[in-house]
Amino acid sequence: MSSQQKWNLVSYDVRDPKRLRRVAKLLEGYGERVQYSLFRVRATTERLEKLRWELSELMAIEDDLLVIPLCDRCATKVDDHSRGDRSDWGDPPPSFEIF
């Protein structure tokens, strides 16, 4: 298993308000909220597996979870409409100006 940290987007749809609060609270301990039900998490493979296990203990079968791994370059391309400071996501790719 790799000890290198990688970016992940974690999205969820939890149907019960009580479970929803518990899932959001857990994710706040692992990453940063980007949108209402979307978090960015920088984690090792082992830490991400632990997060998935903890979420499986909180979530019910009717709830949904989506974890999307991102490369560093893709992490810089997250839409500017997202909330929060993304300055630590890495340098943006070079841009070109056409005249």
Side-chain angles (χ1 to χ4, degrees), residues 59-92:
M59 297 174 79
I61 194 74
E62 68 265 14
D63 299 331
D64 296 311
L65 176 67
L66 178 64
V67 179
I68 303 171
L70 297 175
C71 67
D72 289 336
R73 183 170 179 221
C74 293
T76 64
K77 294 182 179 184
V78 171
D79 193 353
D80 288 335
H81 296 287
S82 299
R83 297 183 313 134
D85 177 21
R86 295 182 301 131
S87 61
D88 62 342
W89 281 52
D91 295 328

Side-chain angles (χ1 to χ4, degrees), residues 1-4 43-51:
M1 291 194 188
S2 173
S3 63
Q4 182 181 3
T44 63
T45 303
E46 295 84 2
R47 188 165 185 240
L48 192 59
E49 286 176 11
K50 180 182 179 203
L51 172 61

Side-chain angles (χ1 to χ4, degrees), residues 12 14 16-28 33 36 58:
Y12 57 89
V14 178
D16 177 73
K18 189 175 183 179
R19 284 195 317 267
L20 176 68
R21 286 189 298 275
R22 288 179 179 165
V23 166
K25 187 78 170 168
L26 176 66
L27 281 164
E28 286 172 353
R33 188 185 296 268
Y36 185 67
L58 294 177

